[in-house]
Amino acid sequence: MAQEEGGSLSEARARVGALHGITDLAQKLLFYDRWALDYDQDVAALQYRAPRLAVDCLMQALPGPPNAALILDVACGTGLVAAELQARGFLQLHGVDGSPAMLEQARARGLYQHLSLCTLGQEPLPSSEGTFDAVLMVGALSDGQVPCSAIPELLRVTKPGGLVCLTTRTNPSNLRYKEALEATLDRLEQAGAWERVVAWPVDQWELATSELELVPGTSNSDGFISGIIYLYRKQKAAQVEGGRPSPQSPAGL
């Protein structure tokens, strides 16, 4: 059994390490199509914690009951985030992903009311402006996947006062992307589009795939890479007498 577990972890590390090295979107989507059947077991072997932690973060800021909230899971993959959402009482779940094979696995879970094939960054989300109470994107913010320029599209489909929850890795190979992402997030906040609720660094994100992914002083045998969760609230447009919009006021928790 120990040998089987060790082999499974070794294979998972190899596949995830290969994924991290792909920077071409078309090639990355093909990789996900081939990986779909093994995805859940691989991320479980790597102790991937982002779906659970992101939903925990969302729950702390949600203003109403979970069962009343309409949620969009962007880059939903096989539906790991949906499983965490359902466990906490969320019932109205929509998902989008760029991989048909991943969507097949997500559909098999039976947790989403609606699933769509959509490659964010190349096409708009298939939803009207201000549709969702919360939008999550867990695990897709990295080189060769979802570009930082697509972040405003998440904001567009979020209701005024709604929440946007994002995650990314903070291991060495993803730091350049993280810096570009945070610059985009900050620009949107400075423009009054949304307000940061929290930025939550997480030390134990998932097991490292190689020593190059580790912070100095840890070992590949038991070392985790780090990540971060961002939660933002979309600003509400205020009204003044005469029906003219006033500057947006900060939204509280």
Side-chain angles (χ1 to χ4, degrees):
M1 183 67 177
Q3 288 182 341
E4 291 177 1
E5 289 176 353
S8 175
L9 177 57
S10 175
E11 291 168 5
R13 279 182 161 142
R15 279 191 280 261
V16 175
L19 175 72
H20 290 175
I22 299 172
T23 57
D24 177 76
L25 177 58
Q27 291 300 314
K28 187 158 278 192
L29 290 174
L30 285 174
F31 188 98
Y32 274 113
D33 279 337
R34 294 192 297 266
W35 191 23
L37 290 175
D38 295 320
Y39 179 84
D40 286 3
Q41 70 179 30
D42 282 355
V43 297
L46 290 174
Q47 301 179 45
Y48 181 52
R49 304 173 67 215
R52 177 172 60 82
L53 296 176
V55 175
D56 285 346
C57 187
L58 176 67
M59 284 290 294
Q60 294 177 24
L62 193 74
N67 62 354
L70 182 61
I71 308 296
L72 178 63
D73 182 8
V74 179
C76 64
T78 63
L80 294 178
V81 171
E84 297 291 344
L85 288 165
Q86 189 203 45
R88 290 160 180 77
F90 291 90
L91 302 176
Q92 304 180 65
L93 308 179
H94 290 206
V96 299
D97 199 272
S99 163
M102 285 285 189
L103 284 175
E104 273 188 42
Q105 298 301 309
R107 189 169 288 110
R109 288 183 186 269
L111 300 180
Y112 295 95
Q113 282 67 58
H114 188 73
L115 285 165
S116 300
L117 182 65
C118 175
T119 305
L120 187 61
Q122 293 193 345
E123 57 189 323
L125 290 168
S127 302
S128 301
E129 183 174 348
T131 297
F132 298 98
D133 296 289
V135 175
L136 298 95
M137 184 158 57
V138 177
L141 290 169
S142 62
D143 277 332
Q145 206 153 350
V146 175
C148 297
S149 59
I151 298 299
E153 181 65 3
L154 306 177
L155 195 57
R156 180 185 68 81
V157 301
T158 305
K159 292 178 181 178
L163 297 164
V164 180
C165 184
L166 310 170
T167 76
T168 196
R169 292 176 285 114
T170 57
N171 57 311
S173 68
N174 202 50
L175 288 180
R176 185 174 63 175
Y177 181 94
K178 174 181 175 284
E179 290 175 4
L181 174 63
E182 290 189 340
T184 299
L185 304 181
D186 290 346
R187 281 195 297 271
L188 287 168
E189 186 167 25
Q190 290 162 11
W194 62 11
E195 174 186 49
R196 180 180 287 186
V197 177
V198 68
W200 177 20
V202 177
D203 290 335
Q204 294 188 336
W205 194 253
E206 67 182 4
L207 287 172
T209 60
S210 74
E211 292 184 4
L212 295 176
E213 295 289 284
L214 289 168
V215 174
T218 61
S219 67
N220 190 45
S221 62
D222 59 1
F224 283 78
I225 65 170
S226 56
I228 188 167
I229 300 168
Y230 307 96
L231 187 66
Y232 285 84
R233 192 184 303 278
K234 184 175 178 177
Q235 295 284 29
K236 296 180 180 179
Q239 293 288 320
V240 295
E241 291 184 11
R244 296 173 58 190
S246 70
Q248 294 173 327
S249 58
L253 283 177

